[in-house]
């Protein structure tokens, strides 16, 4: 899987407070974006003063050297193992938050000596914060600091730290060395497990298809007609497969979360990959469920039309005796494009497809499809279908009432 990086589109989406203009941005928040690499920001947003990048998967501090106006950088909850690349260019930096990362090289704080305006530093939650002498080492190394991990540095504390610095520095180096050895072993173990999982996946991938045969070309021999008949039950079979796969995925998911694991940059990435895989598998299962959904039955086996209202729309059906027609008023969505509506009038029923969903209604009397018409109401947007009934009434004046020179008349439809 490729690394998720910072893109221009991502920055613009988070620059609404600046009318989506990125070159003049002074504050940018890109937290919880699963970013794995820091890039482009120093070229596109050189006026930045505040940059929030917490809770991502960034493994290295880089590409920030041109942010000369940057005052506050938040990189908490990432995968950073070393403090670097802030000494050149970020001379305006006053606050740096590296809470809960994986910094074990405490000596790398020396690179911040060049950031003379740095007043606040957060390193709590890092492996180096557990070292004996951690606070004394940082206080003595960065004499410009005023606050460390939210605690103010007193003048007496700094004097004491400077006095004890030679001894503390030696202790830090020893602890740092031990941590680096342990970290190297953890990396090897992670790599070994990853290789085993890949090999296991390759072995599973060599298994044959679901019917026990191999298909390498669509023009190759396919199952016989007898097998094709069995495919009529495919929806039920596929639904069973979906349920089985969901159960298997649930077991795999439970096994993953119950598996003992070290808290390392690699384990954070592995967790992300697992969650991404679960999400994609869920999407695939949802798509399969949609595919196996049986089609809506509109006509029964004996040829009788059924009443169906899949779009779940309100409607009214009235018999206009005066005009000898049946009128259907269907409450389609007011602002729906008419191109998404298709009307089909048959002698005994009317069918309206609304965004692909069928609405079908059996009529109380036989109508004339060729003389029917439909239109949208201008005020409500409803679809109104006018369906003249078969067999128009005939009006005949009594002979005694017929004026001289006139003939009995019939309804206009029968003339």
């Amino acid at each position: 899987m490729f690394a998720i990086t910072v893109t221009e589109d991502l920055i613009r989406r988070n620059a609404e407070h600046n009318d989506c203009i990125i070159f003049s941005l002074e504050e940018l928040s890109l937290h919880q974006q699963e970013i794995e690499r820091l890039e482009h920001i120093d070229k596109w947003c050189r006026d930045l003063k505040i940059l929030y990048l917490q809770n991502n998967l960034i493994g290295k501090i880089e590409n920030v050297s041109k942010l000369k106006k940057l005052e506050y950088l938040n990189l908490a909850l990432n995968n950073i193992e070393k403090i670097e690349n802030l000494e050149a260019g970020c001379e305006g930096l006053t606050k740096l938050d590296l809470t809960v990362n994986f910094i074990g090289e405490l000596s790398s704080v020396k690179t911040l000596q060049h950031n003379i305006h740095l007043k606040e530093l957060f390193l709590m939650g890092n492996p180096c914060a557990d070292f004996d002498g951690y606070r004394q080492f940082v206080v003595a190394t960065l004499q410009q600091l005023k606050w460390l991990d939210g605690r103010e540095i007193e003048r007496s504390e700094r004097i004491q730290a400077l006095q004890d610095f030679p001894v503390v520095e030696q202790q830090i180096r020893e602890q740092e060395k031990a941590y680096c050895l342990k970290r190297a072993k953890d990396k090897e173990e992670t790599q070994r497990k990853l290789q085993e999982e890949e090999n296991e996946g390759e072995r599973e991938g060599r298994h044959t298809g679901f019917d026990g045969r191999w298909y390498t070309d669509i023009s190759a021999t396919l199952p016989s007609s007898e097998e094709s008949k069995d495919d009529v039950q495919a929806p039920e079979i596929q639904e069973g497969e979906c349920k089985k796969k969901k159960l298997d995925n649930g077991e795999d998911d439970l096994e993953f979360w119950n598996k003992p694991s070290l808290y390392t940059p690699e384990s954070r990435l592995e967790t992300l990959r697992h969650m991404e895989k679960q999400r994609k598998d869920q999407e695939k299962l949802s798509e399969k469920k949609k595919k196996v959904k049986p089609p809506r039955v509109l006509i029964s086996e004996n040829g009788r039309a059924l009443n169906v209202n899949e779009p779940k729309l309100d409607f009214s059906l009235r018999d206009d005796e005066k005009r000898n027609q049946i009128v259907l008023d269907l409450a389609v969505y007011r602002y729906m494009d008419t191109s998404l509506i298709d009307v089909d009038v048959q002698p005994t029923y009317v069918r309206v497809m609304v965004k692909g969903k069928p609405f079908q209604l059996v009529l109380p009397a036989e109508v004339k499809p060729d003389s029917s018409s439909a239109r949208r109401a201008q005020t409500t947007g409803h679809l109104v279908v006018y369906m003249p009934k078969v067999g128009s009434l005939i009006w005949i004046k009594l002979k005694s009432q017929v004026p001289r020179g006139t003939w009995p008349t019939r309804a206009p439809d029968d003339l």
Side-chain angles (χ1 to χ4, degrees), residues 359-378:
F359 171 91
Q360 182 169 286
L361 195 62
V362 178
L363 301 174
E366 189 174 348
V367 299
K368 301 176 181 179
D370 295 340
S371 303
S372 300
S373 62
R375 64 179 179 83
R376 297 286 295 276
Q378 292 184 353

Side-chain angles (χ1 to χ4, degrees), residues 242 246 249 281-289:
C242 287
K246 189 173 182 180
N249 286 345
D281 288 345
Q282 190 62 41
E283 287 178 356
K284 288 179 181 177
L285 284 173
S286 299
E287 288 176 4
K288 283 186 177 180
K289 283 182 180 179

Side-chain angles (χ1 to χ4, degrees), residues 23-274:
F23 72 88
S24 60
L25 269 178
E26 292 188 355
E27 182 176 331
L28 178 62
S29 180
L30 295 176
H31 63 284
Q32 291 183 313
Q33 298 289 337
E34 297 179 357
I35 298 168
E36 297 182 34
R37 187 179 176 190
L38 187 54
E39 57 185 351
H40 303 310
I41 295 178
D42 61 335
K43 298 176 184 176
W44 298 337
C45 312
R46 295 194 179 187
D47 289 341
L48 276 181
K49 292 182 179 179
I50 300 174
L51 179 56
Y52 297 101
L53 290 164
Q54 68 269 29
N55 205 358
N56 282 292
L57 298 161
I58 298 168
K60 183 179 180 180
I61 304 174
E62 58 184 339
N63 299 318
V64 292
S65 60
K66 295 177 183 178
L67 300 176
K68 298 186 181 298
K69 298 180 182 180
L70 190 64
E71 297 175 2
Y72 175 30
L73 177 59
N74 191 329
L75 283 165
L77 288 161
N78 276 283
N79 290 352
I80 296 166
E81 298 190 63
K82 182 180 180 180
I83 302 173
E84 57 187 334
N85 300 322
L86 291 171
E87 64 275 15
C90 297
E91 55 263 22
L93 193 64
T94 60
K95 183 177 179 180
L96 176 61
D97 192 342
L98 293 167
T99 305
V100 190
N101 274 275
F102 297 91
I103 299 171
E105 294 184 46
L106 184 56
S107 57
S108 64
V109 299
K110 291 182 179 179
T111 61
L112 297 175
Q113 290 175 336
H114 302 281
N115 302 95
I116 58 175
H117 298 290
L118 186 64
K119 304 300 178 187
E120 291 185 71
L121 177 63
F122 291 86
L123 287 172
M124 64 180 76
N126 284 277
C128 65
D130 296 329
F131 291 176
D132 292 334
Y134 149 74
R135 186 173 174 88
Q136 297 96 309
F137 180 83
V138 177
V139 169
T141 302
L142 303 177
Q143 297 185 35
Q144 75 273 34
L145 275 188
K146 300 295 182 185
W147 296 79
L148 176 60
D149 295 334
R151 272 179 55 197
E152 187 176 3
I153 301 171
E154 301 289 343
R155 184 170 178 271
S156 58
E157 182 184 7
R158 175 159 280 123
I159 292 172
Q160 187 65 47
L162 288 170
Q163 290 175 352
D164 298 339
F165 184 71
V167 176
V168 171
E169 185 180 25
Q170 184 60 34
Q171 291 177 345
I172 293 297
R173 284 179 179 173
E174 291 173 359
Q175 294 174 87
E176 212 175 60
K177 184 178 179 181
Y179 172 81
C180 289
L181 289 172
K182 179 179 176 297
R183 179 76 184 101
K185 290 181 180 179
D186 290 344
K187 284 183 178 179
E188 288 178 7
E189 181 66 15
T190 302
Q191 190 63 34
R192 184 185 62 79
K193 288 182 179 179
L194 186 63
Q195 189 63 45
E196 287 179 356
E197 289 175 2
E198 287 179 357
N199 293 340
E200 183 67 24
E202 287 178 3
R203 283 195 294 271
E204 290 177 358
R206 293 194 189 101
H207 292 169
T208 57
F210 70 92
D211 61 352
R213 283 181 287 176
W214 293 94
Y215 295 104
T216 58
D217 198 315
I218 58 173
S219 61
T221 305
L222 295 174
S224 64
S225 57
E226 290 296 324
E227 292 172 338
S228 298
K229 290 179 182 177
D230 295 337
D231 289 343
V232 175
Q233 302 297 324
E236 289 79 5
I237 295 171
Q238 289 180 20
E239 189 172 357
E241 288 177 357
C242 287
K243 288 180 180 178
K244 184 177 182 298
K245 180 139 188 181
K246 189 173 182 180
L247 185 63
D248 292 342
N249 286 345
E251 292 175 355
D252 291 343
D253 189 49
L254 191 63
E255 182 183 354
F256 175 84
W257 292 113
N258 288 336
K259 181 178 63 177
S261 175
L262 297 171
Y263 184 65
T264 62
E266 292 77 20
S267 68
R268 284 196 75 205
L269 285 169
E270 184 185 9
T271 301
L272 173 68
R273 302 289 187 262
H274 177 77

